[in-house]
Amino acid sequence: MGAAGMGAGETGAGAAEAAGTRVDETGAGDMGAHATGAAGAVTPASAAAAGTDRFDGWGFDTCVTPSLATMRAWNSSKYRSIGVYYGGRGRGCPNQPELTKSWVSSVYGMGWKVLPVFVGSQSPCVSADSKRKVTIGSDPGGEGTDEARDAVERAKALGMVAGSPLYLDMEAYAQDDRDCAATTLSFIRSWDREVERLGYVSGFYSSADSGVEQIGAERRAGTSDLPSVMWFARWNDKPSVTGEPSLRSQDWSPHLRIHQYAGDVKEEHGGEQLSIDRNRVDAPVARIAD
């Protein structure tokens, strides 16, 4: 997902992302309206996402969580949501000195909405060389359950309470490899099921032409225990949560999508520069403890 696990990349693979293939973590977002408890159609996974806090607007993600001073400076930007890489053994930037419960509470007080990203075990046929040392093992179901519990505990430690979405980052992989795809799906479903059982909302991030395409096909097939929120990466510089070819218009709709539309870009606001991925958000955001 950028420099942090999604977009502004660890590997700088912007060309691959432009084609809809994500390569690695980093981080970016116009102020949108925030709706609380907006109901609507949800995925087959569960109805958990129906009562979440929602944000409709612009967001960014970046590999290393920015300082509070930088977040204050970026209040001058259009962005009002930030993706943070808060856990998982696959994080490109595991050292997050700024990311504490106090930081989460402080940025929330500034008006920022938080998108928690968990970069756990990766597909056995992951594209990025840097992720091949953290692939899913021989027990994908058990590993998915264990990592879901870790994801929830880490979210709780940061003050993100039940009802918060937790976004599983699954970097681009060869989803046409049937055995690999089956292993990856088993992990994802177990992770989703346990996250929802523990009272949180399962979200999913991947390349539009990789994990998103596979999960979209599984939804059409009626597979259970799929993500409740979809965050798709297609670096086409066309910020819209609709019109994605890998998804039917009724899938993860309404208010259950994020589009990462650009990555590995540098922006400066208030004298503070960051390398980010840009996102158009219409989806649940973290609920922060008082």
Side-chain angles (χ1 to χ4, degrees), residues 42-47 219 222-228 252:
V42 296
T43 74
S46 83
R219 178 183 172 118
T223 302
S224 63
D225 300 319
L226 297 181
S228 291
W252 292 280

Side-chain angles (χ1 to χ4, degrees), residues 18 58 232 234-244 258-262 278-280:
W58 303 92
F232 60 94
R234 187 177 292 282
W235 290 8
N236 56 8
D237 286 317
K238 297 177 181 178
S240 175
V241 297
T242 63
E244 168 50 45
I258 303 172
H259 177 196
Q260 186 184 85
Y261 63 90
R278 295 168 175 158
N279 299 284
R280 180 64 177 86

Side-chain angles (χ1 to χ4, degrees), residues 68-145:
L68 289 176
T70 298
M71 296 302 294
R72 290 189 191 96
W74 275 56
N75 267 334
S76 62
S77 74
K78 68 179 182 178
Y79 304 115
R80 287 298 177 271
S81 66
I82 178 171
V84 296
Y85 298 91
Y86 79 99
R89 72 189 190 104
R91 280 187 298 178
C93 299
N95 186 23
Q96 299 281 347
E98 299 289 343
L99 186 53
T100 63
K101 185 175 182 179
S102 176
W103 183 93
V104 172
S105 177
S106 295
V107 297
Y108 184 73
M110 294 180 203
W112 289 93
K113 310 306 176 186
V114 177
L115 300 166
V117 184
F118 185 87
V119 193
S121 294
Q122 297 294 295
S123 173
C125 50
V126 65
S127 301
D129 290 344
S130 63
K131 299 299 184 189
R132 290 177 184 159
K133 63 182 181 294
V134 292
T135 54
I136 300 162
S138 60
D139 181 18
E143 291 169 37
T145 298

Side-chain angles (χ1 to χ4, degrees), residues 47-62:
T52 54
D53 291 354
R54 309 291 178 93
F55 172 74
D56 182 3
W58 303 92
F60 74 93
D61 58 90
T62 187

